[in-house]
Every structure is written in C-alpha cells, then in structure tokens.
Amino acid sequence: MEIVIVGAGVVGLATAWRAAAGGAAVTLVDPEPASGASAVAAGMLTPVSELTYGEEPLLRLGLASRDRYGAFVAELEDLTGLDTGYRTDGIIEVAFDADDLGHLDDLRRFQESLGIPVEALTGRECRRAEPMLAPGVRGGLLAPEDGSIDPRRLTPALLAAAERAGARLVRRRAAGLLVERDAAAGVRLDDGTELRADRVLLAAGPWSGDLDGLPPGTVPPVRPVKGQVIRLRARTPFISRSTRGIVKGSSVYLVPRADGEVVVGATQEELGFDTRVTAGGLWELLRDARELLPGITELEFAEVSAGLRPGSPDNAPVMGPTALPGLYVGTGHFRNGVLLTPVSADILAATLLDAPVPDVAAPFSPDRFSSELSPE
Ligand code: FAD
C-alpha cells in the first residue's frame, strides 16, 4: 500500500508513523514540516477543562486520546531517545470574580453529570496549589488527570519515529491532486513532480482543501482560526502545572515547561489566513494573565507568535474517507489537535490500512457534511 500524506503537523506526522509501522510505504509531503499550528500550540492535554455543552462525542474522543498519551509518549521517547516534555500534573482552572466562579460551578456540575472527576477548590486551596495566584482569586477546579506536552519537542520526535518506521519526507508543497478513473492517484508537487499513491491523506490543517484538481465538494470546508501566544521565561519555577483562568468572562492560560518557558495563550480570532501578531491581542493576554498571576510581569519575554487552528463547520475533527475513492482527510482538530494526536493517528492509520477503526471515531466521519457538500 503506497500512501501520500499531505501536511506534516502533529496529525500528518503521527499518522505517518503509525501507518508506516503498520506496513504501508508512506511519503509525507510538507515544504516546512511542523510549521503550522503545531509549532505555536501550548500543548495542554485537557479534554475536561475544555469541555463545552453539546460536545460530548468530542469529550469521549479527547478522553480516549488522553488515556492513550502515556503509552504513546513512552513508545515515542523510547524509540527516538527524544524528550517530548510530557507532564501529567493536572490542570487548575481558576475564577477571578464571582461571575467567573458561577461559570466554573456550571462547568463542574456538567463535568460531574458526565462522571468526570474534578475537584472544586476554594480560593485559598487554589493559592496553596499555585502560590503565585493573586490573593483575590475566588475559587477553582482541579482536573487531576489532565496534563501537557511541548509540541515543539513532540513534532521532531514524531518525524524521527516516522522516518525510522520507513516513512519518507519530501520537503515540497503539494500543488494538485492526481485523479485517474474517478479515484485519487497521488499528488503533483509544486516543482511538477508527480508522486503516485494508492491513497492520499490530506492533513494540511486549514490548507487541506487548497490543492488543484480536488473535485468540488469532496473536502469539508476547514477555516483558519487565529490564535496568538506569548512565550515568557522564568529563572525559578513560576507555576507547577498548567493554569487556566476566567477573568471577567474571558479565558487565558499559562503552560509551564521544565526548562522555564511559560506559554501564555491564546486569542481566538476569525480573520482568515492572517498570522500577524497584534498589540491588542498581546495586551489582552498579558492583562488577563497579570490579573491571575501578578508576578508574570517579572518574567523575561521570549517570543510572540500566531497560528491557525483548523476549524470544521462544527468545530470537530474530520477524519476518514471522502466521496472520492482513495482520498482521505484528517483535519479540523481546532483547539485540540495536540491532545487528539494519539487517537487521531490510530483512527487515520487504521482507516488507511483497512484495519478496524476505534468506535470513538464514528461521529467524526467526513460524510456528516455530505448534504452540505453535494454539488447543487
Ligand atoms: P498544522 O499543525 O497546521 O500542520 C499543517 C501542515 O501542513 C503545516 O506543516 C504546513 O506546512 C503543511 N501544509 C500546508 N499546505 C500544504 C501543502 N499544500 N502541501 C504540503 N504541506 C502543506 N491543541 C491542543 O491540543 N492543546 C493546546 O493547548 C493547543 N493550543 C493551541 C494554541 C494556539 C495558539 C493554536 C493556534 C492552536 C492550539 N492547539 C492546541 C490546536 C493545535 O495546534 C491544532 O489543532 C493542531 O496543531 C493541528 O495540527 P495539524 O497537523 O492538523 O495542522
């Protein structure tokens, strides 16, 4: 089985690893691997804290992925000798004022109704857990099983594992899809080279529908949702676990790394393919982060960046075969692509190899958009 995967972000890389390890001849195509959202993401692994009403299937997918993470990382680090910065120290979510606390109480009741363990904390307990929190913080929740990973360490490890399993990386842009006898037959690169394959997986984030020659209506529309983040650096440990906060209704989070980096994120902006970092975006992040953790103003500034989350029409991943035989998609991971990496790789590799696909995948098939996609 020859497979071409377009896009080497977390989704394409992890799928390449699993599909190559499963026996396929895999070619990954990306002019700049891991240069999209995967290079910007904070890397929180939090199906629980991110829980939103009506997203129960996504919660199940997130839990399935989080439960796979430990073994996934152990295998990856063992195979490659590379550290991924994986942490399982829980995530604390705190409320700045009484209204924010009301919102967290609603969230806790919803989580408990789904049987998810969360611990409600008083303001004092929050500060005991994270002493740098502002004295005014009203209360919070601890999701003890959540964690984080450093996506900038994860992606090189995934590429090394994929290559070790036999996958080949071609550093070029896929410009067009080759279609023969009404089926995908490979891709045409931007230098005109044709890469022929039995199956093509589009895992190019919000650019997944950009190839010439895609029959209209085969790939669900995936829009870019901009997120800006700031990277700071602490000389001594600043917070001991990922800390999210609601500050007067708006969300902010800080994710610490073992080397002292603290990632502050993230804005959520629907501005097309715009990756400019703006003064307003940074100001909002620092304003809210300082309300929760006043000491952040003492940290050293390291970097600002913006990335584009791939958002499908229902903000959930789109994984599986399209209406064009031989053409598959693996995108739409929106705010959760790093969390969903292990389960997505299992789902997509199984789909590509005609192996049994995990049950949690069913709600995320591309055919849920078929009525929207069918040509007029
Ligand atoms: P991408 O990482 O965007 O990769 C797409 C790749 O496709 C790129 O490398 C690009 O070069 C390549 N490409 C594009 N066009 C072509 C082409 N024509 N030919 C070949 N290659 C092409 N998720 C979490 O789980 N936890 C978090 O804490 C988190 N925080 C985030 C914070 C921010 C600010 C942002 C922006 C995202 C965050 N996410 C988080 C979401 C996560 O980053 C994404 O869901 C995930 O990275 C998507 O991965 P991907 O592989 O689909 O796409």
PDB file of all heavy atoms in Angstrom, residues 54-59 61 220-223 225 310-319 329-337 340 344 360-366 368-369:
ATOM      1  N   GLY A  54     -22.789  20.208  24.622  1.00  0.00           N
ATOM      2  CA  GLY A  54     -23.096  19.703  23.281  1.00  0.00           C
ATOM      3  C   GLY A  54     -21.924  19.012  22.613  1.00  0.00           C
ATOM      4  O   GLY A  54     -22.041  18.539  21.495  1.00  0.00           O
ATOM      5  N   GLU A  55     -20.764  18.983  23.281  1.00  0.00           N
ATOM      6  CA  GLU A  55     -19.583  18.386  22.638  1.00  0.00           C
ATOM      7  C   GLU A  55     -19.209  17.051  23.278  1.00  0.00           C
ATOM      8  O   GLU A  55     -18.027  16.696  23.355  1.00  0.00           O
ATOM      9  CB  GLU A  55     -18.390  19.355  22.718  1.00  0.00           C
ATOM     10  CG  GLU A  55     -18.542  20.577  21.836  1.00  0.00           C
ATOM     11  CD  GLU A  55     -17.298  21.459  21.811  1.00  0.00           C
ATOM     12  OE1 GLU A  55     -16.441  21.323  22.688  1.00  0.00           O
ATOM     13  OE2 GLU A  55     -17.212  22.287  20.895  1.00  0.00           O
ATOM     14  N   GLU A  56     -20.204  16.281  23.734  1.00  0.00           N
ATOM     15  CA  GLU A  56     -19.895  15.024  24.429  1.00  0.00           C
ATOM     16  C   GLU A  56     -19.105  14.037  23.560  1.00  0.00           C
ATOM     17  O   GLU A  56     -18.184  13.384  24.061  1.00  0.00           O
ATOM     18  CB  GLU A  56     -21.172  14.363  24.973  1.00  0.00           C
ATOM     19  CG  GLU A  56     -21.778  15.075  26.172  1.00  0.00           C
ATOM     20  CD  GLU A  56     -22.698  16.221  25.784  1.00  0.00           C
ATOM     21  OE1 GLU A  56     -22.711  16.615  24.595  1.00  0.00           O
ATOM     22  OE2 GLU A  56     -23.410  16.726  26.671  1.00  0.00           O
ATOM     23  N   PRO A  57     -19.438  13.864  22.249  1.00  0.00           N
ATOM     24  CA  PRO A  57     -18.620  12.940  21.446  1.00  0.00           C
ATOM     25  C   PRO A  57     -17.148  13.377  21.382  1.00  0.00           C
ATOM     26  O   PRO A  57     -16.242  12.559  21.426  1.00  0.00           O
ATOM     27  CB  PRO A  57     -19.262  12.988  20.050  1.00  0.00           C
ATOM     28  CG  PRO A  57     -20.666  13.437  20.301  1.00  0.00           C
ATOM     29  CD  PRO A  57     -20.582  14.384  21.478  1.00  0.00           C
ATOM     30  N   LEU A  58     -16.949  14.704  21.334  1.00  0.00           N
ATOM     31  CA  LEU A  58     -15.578  15.223  21.310  1.00  0.00           C
ATOM     32  C   LEU A  58     -14.892  14.954  22.650  1.00  0.00           C
ATOM     33  O   LEU A  58     -13.701  14.641  22.704  1.00  0.00           O
ATOM     34  CB  LEU A  58     -15.608  16.722  21.003  1.00  0.00           C
ATOM     35  CG  LEU A  58     -14.273  17.401  20.742  1.00  0.00           C
ATOM     36  CD1 LEU A  58     -13.513  16.721  19.633  1.00  0.00           C
ATOM     37  CD2 LEU A  58     -14.490  18.874  20.404  1.00  0.00           C
ATOM     38  N   LEU A  59     -15.665  15.049  23.725  1.00  0.00           N
ATOM     39  CA  LEU A  59     -15.117  14.729  25.042  1.00  0.00           C
ATOM     40  C   LEU A  59     -14.655  13.274  25.075  1.00  0.00           C
ATOM     41  O   LEU A  59     -13.555  12.973  25.550  1.00  0.00           O
ATOM     42  CB  LEU A  59     -16.172  14.965  26.126  1.00  0.00           C
ATOM     43  CG  LEU A  59     -15.778  14.433  27.502  1.00  0.00           C
ATOM     44  CD1 LEU A  59     -14.684  15.278  28.123  1.00  0.00           C
ATOM     45  CD2 LEU A  59     -16.976  14.363  28.434  1.00  0.00           C
ATOM     46  N   LEU A  61     -13.760  11.432  22.594  1.00  0.00           N
ATOM     47  CA  LEU A  61     -12.555  11.322  21.761  1.00  0.00           C
ATOM     48  C   LEU A  61     -11.334  11.856  22.520  1.00  0.00           C
ATOM     49  O   LEU A  61     -10.256  11.253  22.501  1.00  0.00           O
ATOM     50  CB  LEU A  61     -12.761  12.104  20.457  1.00  0.00           C
ATOM     51  CG  LEU A  61     -11.719  11.900  19.372  1.00  0.00           C
ATOM     52  CD1 LEU A  61     -11.852  10.514  18.743  1.00  0.00           C
ATOM     53  CD2 LEU A  61     -11.848  12.974  18.281  1.00  0.00           C
ATOM     54  N   PRO A 220     -14.588  18.721   3.239  1.00  0.00           N
ATOM     55  CA  PRO A 220     -15.379  19.681   4.013  1.00  0.00           C
ATOM     56  C   PRO A 220     -14.599  20.982   4.199  1.00  0.00           C
ATOM     57  O   PRO A 220     -13.371  20.947   4.331  1.00  0.00           O
ATOM     58  CB  PRO A 220     -15.587  18.992   5.364  1.00  0.00           C
ATOM     59  CG  PRO A 220     -15.335  17.549   5.106  1.00  0.00           C
ATOM     60  CD  PRO A 220     -14.356  17.480   3.982  1.00  0.00           C
ATOM     61  N   PRO A 221     -15.269  22.111   4.198  1.00  0.00           N
ATOM     62  CA  PRO A 221     -14.547  23.379   4.373  1.00  0.00           C
ATOM     63  C   PRO A 221     -13.910  23.443   5.758  1.00  0.00           C
ATOM     64  O   PRO A 221     -14.555  23.122   6.752  1.00  0.00           O
ATOM     65  CB  PRO A 221     -15.648  24.443   4.241  1.00  0.00           C
ATOM     66  CG  PRO A 221     -16.933  23.725   4.434  1.00  0.00           C
ATOM     67  CD  PRO A 221     -16.713  22.284   4.089  1.00  0.00           C
ATOM     68  N   VAL A 222     -12.634  23.801   5.801  1.00  0.00           N
ATOM     69  CA  VAL A 222     -11.944  23.967   7.080  1.00  0.00           C
ATOM     70  C   VAL A 222     -11.416  25.391   7.109  1.00  0.00           C
ATOM     71  O   VAL A 222     -10.705  25.812   6.205  1.00  0.00           O
ATOM     72  CB  VAL A 222     -10.789  22.960   7.215  1.00  0.00           C
ATOM     73  CG1 VAL A 222     -10.072  23.140   8.548  1.00  0.00           C
ATOM     74  CG2 VAL A 222     -11.318  21.536   7.127  1.00  0.00           C
ATOM     75  N   ARG A 223     -11.822  26.140   8.136  1.00  0.00           N
ATOM     76  CA  ARG A 223     -11.436  27.554   8.184  1.00  0.00           C
ATOM     77  C   ARG A 223     -10.288  27.761   9.179  1.00  0.00           C
ATOM     78  O   ARG A 223     -10.157  27.000  10.151  1.00  0.00           O
ATOM     79  CB  ARG A 223     -12.645  28.406   8.592  1.00  0.00           C
ATOM     80  CG  ARG A 223     -13.051  28.190  10.024  1.00  0.00           C
ATOM     81  CD  ARG A 223     -14.363  28.836  10.389  1.00  0.00           C
ATOM     82  NE  ARG A 223     -14.504  28.926  11.838  1.00  0.00           N
ATOM     83  CZ  ARG A 223     -14.754  27.906  12.642  1.00  0.00           C
ATOM     84  NH1 ARG A 223     -14.899  26.690  12.160  1.00  0.00           N
ATOM     85  NH2 ARG A 223     -14.868  28.097  13.938  1.00  0.00           N
ATOM     86  N   VAL A 225      -8.594  29.541  12.278  1.00  0.00           N
ATOM     87  CA  VAL A 225      -8.975  30.342  13.456  1.00  0.00           C
ATOM     88  C   VAL A 225      -7.690  30.741  14.175  1.00  0.00           C
ATOM     89  O   VAL A 225      -6.985  29.904  14.751  1.00  0.00           O
ATOM     90  CB  VAL A 225      -9.911  29.552  14.405  1.00  0.00           C
ATOM     91  CG1 VAL A 225     -10.317  30.432  15.585  1.00  0.00           C
ATOM     92  CG2 VAL A 225     -11.144  29.045  13.662  1.00  0.00           C
ATOM     93  N   PRO A 310      -7.200  24.619  12.638  1.00  0.00           N
ATOM     94  CA  PRO A 310      -8.119  24.206  11.563  1.00  0.00           C
ATOM     95  C   PRO A 310      -9.516  23.922  12.138  1.00  0.00           C
ATOM     96  O   PRO A 310      -9.685  23.005  12.934  1.00  0.00           O
ATOM     97  CB  PRO A 310      -7.470  22.917  11.029  1.00  0.00           C
ATOM     98  CG  PRO A 310      -6.577  22.415  12.132  1.00  0.00           C
ATOM     99  CD  PRO A 310      -6.299  23.540  13.076  1.00  0.00           C
ATOM    100  N   GLY A 311     -10.500  24.737  11.762  1.00  0.00           N
ATOM    101  CA  GLY A 311     -11.857  24.590  12.303  1.00  0.00           C
ATOM    102  C   GLY A 311     -12.840  24.110  11.241  1.00  0.00           C
ATOM    103  O   GLY A 311     -13.001  24.731  10.192  1.00  0.00           O
ATOM    104  N   SER A 312     -13.499  22.995  11.513  1.00  0.00           N
ATOM    105  CA  SER A 312     -14.518  22.484  10.581  1.00  0.00           C
ATOM    106  C   SER A 312     -15.839  23.210  10.862  1.00  0.00           C
ATOM    107  O   SER A 312     -15.951  23.948  11.838  1.00  0.00           O
ATOM    108  CB  SER A 312     -14.690  20.984  10.786  1.00  0.00           C
ATOM    109  OG  SER A 312     -15.371  20.769  12.008  1.00  0.00           O
ATOM    110  N   PRO A 313     -16.889  22.976  10.052  1.00  0.00           N
ATOM    111  CA  PRO A 313     -18.158  23.673  10.297  1.00  0.00           C
ATOM    112  C   PRO A 313     -18.724  23.423  11.697  1.00  0.00           C
ATOM    113  O   PRO A 313     -19.375  24.297  12.264  1.00  0.00           O
ATOM    114  CB  PRO A 313     -19.080  23.111   9.203  1.00  0.00           C
ATOM    115  CG  PRO A 313     -18.148  22.747   8.085  1.00  0.00           C
ATOM    116  CD  PRO A 313     -16.891  22.265   8.758  1.00  0.00           C
ATOM    117  N   ASP A 314     -18.496  22.238  12.295  1.00  0.00           N
ATOM    118  CA  ASP A 314     -18.989  22.019  13.658  1.00  0.00           C
ATOM    119  C   ASP A 314     -17.850  22.000  14.683  1.00  0.00           C
ATOM    120  O   ASP A 314     -18.034  21.543  15.816  1.00  0.00           O
ATOM    121  CB  ASP A 314     -19.837  20.736  13.743  1.00  0.00           C
ATOM    122  CG  ASP A 314     -19.046  19.475  13.366  1.00  0.00           C
ATOM    123  OD1 ASP A 314     -17.804  19.566  13.192  1.00  0.00           O
ATOM    124  OD2 ASP A 314     -19.665  18.407  13.238  1.00  0.00           O
ATOM    125  N   ASN A 315     -16.707  22.517  14.289  1.00  0.00           N
ATOM    126  CA  ASN A 315     -15.527  22.647  15.166  1.00  0.00           C
ATOM    127  C   ASN A 315     -14.992  21.313  15.678  1.00  0.00           C
ATOM    128  O   ASN A 315     -14.231  21.282  16.649  1.00  0.00           O
ATOM    129  CB  ASN A 315     -15.825  23.569  16.372  1.00  0.00           C
ATOM    130  CG  ASN A 315     -15.973  25.006  15.927  1.00  0.00           C
ATOM    131  OD1 ASN A 315     -15.448  25.394  14.886  1.00  0.00           O
ATOM    132  ND2 ASN A 315     -16.706  25.792  16.697  1.00  0.00           N
ATOM    133  N   ALA A 316     -15.378  20.215  15.078  1.00  0.00           N
ATOM    134  CA  ALA A 316     -14.880  18.891  15.483  1.00  0.00           C
ATOM    135  C   ALA A 316     -14.023  18.321  14.356  1.00  0.00           C
ATOM    136  O   ALA A 316     -14.173  18.709  13.189  1.00  0.00           O
ATOM    137  CB  ALA A 316     -16.051  17.970  15.788  1.00  0.00           C
ATOM    138  N   PRO A 317     -13.133  17.380  14.686  1.00  0.00           N
ATOM    139  CA  PRO A 317     -12.263  16.818  13.644  1.00  0.00           C
ATOM    140  C   PRO A 317     -13.040  16.130  12.527  1.00  0.00           C
ATOM    141  O   PRO A 317     -14.171  15.676  12.733  1.00  0.00           O
ATOM    142  CB  PRO A 317     -11.427  15.783  14.398  1.00  0.00           C
ATOM    143  CG  PRO A 317     -11.553  16.111  15.827  1.00  0.00           C
ATOM    144  CD  PRO A 317     -12.860  16.811  16.013  1.00  0.00           C
ATOM    145  N   VAL A 318     -12.413  16.077  11.383  1.00  0.00           N
ATOM    146  CA  VAL A 318     -12.980  15.398  10.214  1.00  0.00           C
ATOM    147  C   VAL A 318     -11.953  14.348   9.810  1.00  0.00           C
ATOM    148  O   VAL A 318     -10.861  14.692   9.346  1.00  0.00           O
ATOM    149  CB  VAL A 318     -13.166  16.376   9.037  1.00  0.00           C
ATOM    150  CG1 VAL A 318     -14.068  15.777   7.981  1.00  0.00           C
ATOM    151  CG2 VAL A 318     -13.711  17.711   9.497  1.00  0.00           C
ATOM    152  N   MET A 319     -12.295  13.068  10.018  1.00  0.00           N
ATOM    153  CA  MET A 319     -11.285  12.024   9.809  1.00  0.00           C
ATOM    154  C   MET A 319     -11.903  10.840   9.094  1.00  0.00           C
ATOM    155  O   MET A 319     -12.851  10.229   9.605  1.00  0.00           O
ATOM    156  CB  MET A 319     -10.739  11.550  11.164  1.00  0.00           C
ATOM    157  CG  MET A 319     -10.032  12.637  11.936  1.00  0.00           C
ATOM    158  SD  MET A 319      -9.213  12.015  13.437  1.00  0.00           S
ATOM    159  CE  MET A 319     -10.589  11.904  14.563  1.00  0.00           C
ATOM    160  N   VAL A 329      -9.303  12.477   4.519  1.00  0.00           N
ATOM    161  CA  VAL A 329      -8.947  13.726   5.207  1.00  0.00           C
ATOM    162  C   VAL A 329      -8.693  13.438   6.682  1.00  0.00           C
ATOM    163  O   VAL A 329      -9.302  12.547   7.276  1.00  0.00           O
ATOM    164  CB  VAL A 329     -10.012  14.848   5.096  1.00  0.00           C
ATOM    165  CG1 VAL A 329     -10.030  15.461   3.722  1.00  0.00           C
ATOM    166  CG2 VAL A 329     -11.380  14.365   5.509  1.00  0.00           C
ATOM    167  N   GLY A 330      -7.799  14.254   7.247  1.00  0.00           N
ATOM    168  CA  GLY A 330      -7.518  14.191   8.683  1.00  0.00           C
ATOM    169  C   GLY A 330      -7.225  15.606   9.133  1.00  0.00           C
ATOM    170  O   GLY A 330      -6.080  16.039   9.160  1.00  0.00           O
ATOM    171  N   THR A 331      -8.286  16.338   9.425  1.00  0.00           N
ATOM    172  CA  THR A 331      -8.084  17.745   9.816  1.00  0.00           C
ATOM    173  C   THR A 331      -9.248  18.201  10.699  1.00  0.00           C
ATOM    174  O   THR A 331     -10.010  17.390  11.208  1.00  0.00           O
ATOM    175  CB  THR A 331      -7.901  18.636   8.560  1.00  0.00           C
ATOM    176  OG1 THR A 331      -7.612  19.966   9.003  1.00  0.00           O
ATOM    177  CG2 THR A 331      -9.117  18.658   7.669  1.00  0.00           C
ATOM    178  N   GLY A 332      -9.353  19.514  10.904  1.00  0.00           N
ATOM    179  CA  GLY A 332     -10.455  20.058  11.708  1.00  0.00           C
ATOM    180  C   GLY A 332     -10.237  19.884  13.204  1.00  0.00           C
ATOM    181  O   GLY A 332     -11.190  19.974  13.984  1.00  0.00           O
ATOM    182  N   HIS A 333      -9.005  19.693  13.641  1.00  0.00           N
ATOM    183  CA  HIS A 333      -8.761  19.421  15.066  1.00  0.00           C
ATOM    184  C   HIS A 333      -8.829  20.670  15.937  1.00  0.00           C
ATOM    185  O   HIS A 333      -8.687  20.595  17.150  1.00  0.00           O
ATOM    186  CB  HIS A 333      -7.423  18.700  15.237  1.00  0.00           C
ATOM    187  CG  HIS A 333      -7.440  17.296  14.728  1.00  0.00           C
ATOM    188  ND1 HIS A 333      -7.502  17.001  13.384  1.00  0.00           N
ATOM    189  CD2 HIS A 333      -7.442  16.107  15.366  1.00  0.00           C
ATOM    190  CE1 HIS A 333      -7.531  15.689  13.224  1.00  0.00           C
ATOM    191  NE2 HIS A 333      -7.502  15.121  14.414  1.00  0.00           N
ATOM    192  N   PHE A 334      -8.969  21.808  15.342  1.00  0.00           N
ATOM    193  CA  PHE A 334      -9.291  23.072  16.002  1.00  0.00           C
ATOM    194  C   PHE A 334      -8.429  23.304  17.248  1.00  0.00           C
ATOM    195  O   PHE A 334      -7.222  23.346  17.146  1.00  0.00           O
ATOM    196  CB  PHE A 334     -10.795  23.077  16.317  1.00  0.00           C
ATOM    197  CG  PHE A 334     -11.359  24.438  16.629  1.00  0.00           C
ATOM    198  CD1 PHE A 334     -10.906  25.561  15.962  1.00  0.00           C
ATOM    199  CD2 PHE A 334     -12.350  24.615  17.595  1.00  0.00           C
ATOM    200  CE1 PHE A 334     -11.417  26.818  16.243  1.00  0.00           C
ATOM    201  CE2 PHE A 334     -12.870  25.862  17.893  1.00  0.00           C
ATOM    202  CZ  PHE A 334     -12.403  26.955  17.220  1.00  0.00           C
ATOM    203  N   ARG A 335      -9.041  23.392  18.444  1.00  0.00           N
ATOM    204  CA  ARG A 335      -8.285  23.754  19.648  1.00  0.00           C
ATOM    205  C   ARG A 335      -7.595  22.557  20.297  1.00  0.00           C
ATOM    206  O   ARG A 335      -6.908  22.707  21.301  1.00  0.00           O
ATOM    207  CB  ARG A 335      -9.248  24.336  20.700  1.00  0.00           C
ATOM    208  CG  ARG A 335      -9.880  25.638  20.308  1.00  0.00           C
ATOM    209  CD  ARG A 335     -10.971  25.998  21.305  1.00  0.00           C
ATOM    210  NE  ARG A 335     -11.911  24.890  21.466  1.00  0.00           N
ATOM    211  CZ  ARG A 335     -12.913  24.873  22.328  1.00  0.00           C
ATOM    212  NH1 ARG A 335     -13.105  25.887  23.132  1.00  0.00           N
ATOM    213  NH2 ARG A 335     -13.728  23.833  22.402  1.00  0.00           N
ATOM    214  N   ASN A 336      -7.837  21.332  19.741  1.00  0.00           N
ATOM    215  CA  ASN A 336      -7.447  20.121  20.476  1.00  0.00           C
ATOM    216  C   ASN A 336      -6.503  19.188  19.719  1.00  0.00           C
ATOM    217  O   ASN A 336      -6.389  18.018  20.079  1.00  0.00           O
ATOM    218  CB  ASN A 336      -8.704  19.328  20.835  1.00  0.00           C
ATOM    219  CG  ASN A 336      -9.571  20.079  21.810  1.00  0.00           C
ATOM    220  OD1 ASN A 336      -9.092  20.526  22.838  1.00  0.00           O
ATOM    221  ND2 ASN A 336     -10.837  20.253  21.471  1.00  0.00           N
ATOM    222  N   GLY A 337      -5.862  19.681  18.686  1.00  0.00           N
ATOM    223  CA  GLY A 337      -5.096  18.772  17.832  1.00  0.00           C
ATOM    224  C   GLY A 337      -3.952  18.067  18.538  1.00  0.00           C
ATOM    225  O   GLY A 337      -3.626  16.923  18.214  1.00  0.00           O
ATOM    226  N   LEU A 340      -5.465  15.428  20.689  1.00  0.00           N
ATOM    227  CA  LEU A 340      -6.078  14.349  19.902  1.00  0.00           C
ATOM    228  C   LEU A 340      -5.086  13.585  19.026  1.00  0.00           C
ATOM    229  O   LEU A 340      -5.485  12.694  18.279  1.00  0.00           O
ATOM    230  CB  LEU A 340      -7.201  14.924  19.028  1.00  0.00           C
ATOM    231  CG  LEU A 340      -8.388  15.525  19.802  1.00  0.00           C
ATOM    232  CD1 LEU A 340      -9.376  16.182  18.847  1.00  0.00           C
ATOM    233  CD2 LEU A 340      -9.091  14.456  20.632  1.00  0.00           C
ATOM    234  N   SER A 344      -6.087  10.220  16.953  1.00  0.00           N
ATOM    235  CA  SER A 344      -6.262  10.535  15.524  1.00  0.00           C
ATOM    236  C   SER A 344      -5.341   9.660  14.681  1.00  0.00           C
ATOM    237  O   SER A 344      -5.730   9.174  13.612  1.00  0.00           O
ATOM    238  CB  SER A 344      -5.952  12.006  15.244  1.00  0.00           C
ATOM    239  OG  SER A 344      -6.815  12.816  15.988  1.00  0.00           O
ATOM    240  N   VAL A 360     -14.796   5.238  18.829  1.00  0.00           N
ATOM    241  CA  VAL A 360     -14.934   6.675  19.115  1.00  0.00           C
ATOM    242  C   VAL A 360     -14.851   7.530  17.860  1.00  0.00           C
ATOM    243  O   VAL A 360     -15.199   8.710  17.883  1.00  0.00           O
ATOM    244  CB  VAL A 360     -13.858   7.213  20.099  1.00  0.00           C
ATOM    245  CG1 VAL A 360     -14.191   6.913  21.528  1.00  0.00           C
ATOM    246  CG2 VAL A 360     -12.462   6.770  19.703  1.00  0.00           C
ATOM    247  N   ALA A 361     -14.394   6.924  16.752  1.00  0.00           N
ATOM    248  CA  ALA A 361     -14.196   7.709  15.523  1.00  0.00           C
ATOM    249  C   ALA A 361     -15.510   8.020  14.815  1.00  0.00           C
ATOM    250  O   ALA A 361     -15.592   8.998  14.044  1.00  0.00           O
ATOM    251  CB  ALA A 361     -13.288   6.945  14.560  1.00  0.00           C
ATOM    252  N   ALA A 362     -16.550   7.208  15.074  1.00  0.00           N
ATOM    253  CA  ALA A 362     -17.760   7.276  14.242  1.00  0.00           C
ATOM    254  C   ALA A 362     -18.331   8.694  14.053  1.00  0.00           C
ATOM    255  O   ALA A 362     -18.674   9.071  12.930  1.00  0.00           O
ATOM    256  CB  ALA A 362     -18.814   6.331  14.812  1.00  0.00           C
ATOM    257  N   PRO A 363     -18.436   9.515  15.118  1.00  0.00           N
ATOM    258  CA  PRO A 363     -19.064  10.839  14.906  1.00  0.00           C
ATOM    259  C   PRO A 363     -18.226  11.804  14.074  1.00  0.00           C
ATOM    260  O   PRO A 363     -18.697  12.898  13.764  1.00  0.00           O
ATOM    261  CB  PRO A 363     -19.219  11.393  16.336  1.00  0.00           C
ATOM    262  CG  PRO A 363     -19.008  10.242  17.251  1.00  0.00           C
ATOM    263  CD  PRO A 363     -18.120   9.283  16.532  1.00  0.00           C
ATOM    264  N   PHE A 364     -16.990  11.423  13.724  1.00  0.00           N
ATOM    265  CA  PHE A 364     -16.093  12.397  13.094  1.00  0.00           C
ATOM    266  C   PHE A 364     -15.819  12.108  11.615  1.00  0.00           C
ATOM    267  O   PHE A 364     -14.902  12.662  11.021  1.00  0.00           O
ATOM    268  CB  PHE A 364     -14.785  12.469  13.910  1.00  0.00           C
ATOM    269  CG  PHE A 364     -15.076  12.781  15.345  1.00  0.00           C
ATOM    270  CD1 PHE A 364     -15.046  11.790  16.312  1.00  0.00           C
ATOM    271  CD2 PHE A 364     -15.499  14.051  15.707  1.00  0.00           C
ATOM    272  CE1 PHE A 364     -15.390  12.059  17.626  1.00  0.00           C
ATOM    273  CE2 PHE A 364     -15.855  14.343  17.020  1.00  0.00           C
ATOM    274  CZ  PHE A 364     -15.804  13.345  17.983  1.00  0.00           C
ATOM    275  N   SER A 365     -16.677  11.268  11.039  1.00  0.00           N
ATOM    276  CA  SER A 365     -16.501  10.925   9.634  1.00  0.00           C
ATOM    277  C   SER A 365     -16.840  12.126   8.730  1.00  0.00           C
ATOM    278  O   SER A 365     -17.770  12.882   9.019  1.00  0.00           O
ATOM    279  CB  SER A 365     -17.430   9.740   9.337  1.00  0.00           C
ATOM    280  OG  SER A 365     -17.624   9.660   7.969  1.00  0.00           O
ATOM    281  N   PRO A 366     -16.086  12.300   7.635  1.00  0.00           N
ATOM    282  CA  PRO A 366     -16.383  13.428   6.729  1.00  0.00           C
ATOM    283  C   PRO A 366     -17.801  13.375   6.170  1.00  0.00           C
ATOM    284  O   PRO A 366     -18.350  14.409   5.782  1.00  0.00           O
ATOM    285  CB  PRO A 366     -15.358  13.256   5.599  1.00  0.00           C
ATOM    286  CG  PRO A 366     -14.294  12.387   6.147  1.00  0.00           C
ATOM    287  CD  PRO A 366     -14.903  11.528   7.200  1.00  0.00           C
ATOM    288  N   ARG A 368     -20.518  13.283   7.497  1.00  0.00           N
ATOM    289  CA  ARG A 368     -21.554  14.032   8.207  1.00  0.00           C
ATOM    290  C   ARG A 368     -21.848  15.368   7.529  1.00  0.00           C
ATOM    291  O   ARG A 368     -22.860  16.002   7.813  1.00  0.00           O
ATOM    292  CB  ARG A 368     -21.184  14.237   9.681  1.00  0.00           C
ATOM    293  CG  ARG A 368     -20.049  15.214   9.960  1.00  0.00           C
ATOM    294  CD  ARG A 368     -19.710  15.195  11.453  1.00  0.00           C
ATOM    295  NE  ARG A 368     -18.757  16.180  11.896  1.00  0.00           N
ATOM    296  CZ  ARG A 368     -17.436  16.072  11.810  1.00  0.00           C
ATOM    297  NH1 ARG A 368     -16.904  15.024  11.228  1.00  0.00           N
ATOM    298  NH2 ARG A 368     -16.643  17.015  12.293  1.00  0.00           N
ATOM    299  N   PHE A 369     -20.954  15.800   6.649  1.00  0.00           N
ATOM    300  CA  PHE A 369     -21.192  17.055   5.926  1.00  0.00           C
ATOM    301  C   PHE A 369     -21.687  16.806   4.503  1.00  0.00           C
ATOM    302  O   PHE A 369     -21.722  17.723   3.695  1.00  0.00           O
ATOM    303  CB  PHE A 369     -19.906  17.887   5.866  1.00  0.00           C
ATOM    304  CG  PHE A 369     -19.368  18.253   7.213  1.00  0.00           C
ATOM    305  CD1 PHE A 369     -18.135  17.794   7.644  1.00  0.00           C
ATOM    306  CD2 PHE A 369     -20.109  19.068   8.073  1.00  0.00           C
ATOM    307  CE1 PHE A 369     -17.644  18.126   8.895  1.00  0.00           C
ATOM    308  CE2 PHE A 369     -19.631  19.403   9.328  1.00  0.00           C
ATOM    309  CZ  PHE A 369     -18.398  18.928   9.738  1.00  0.00           C
TER     310      PHE A 369
END
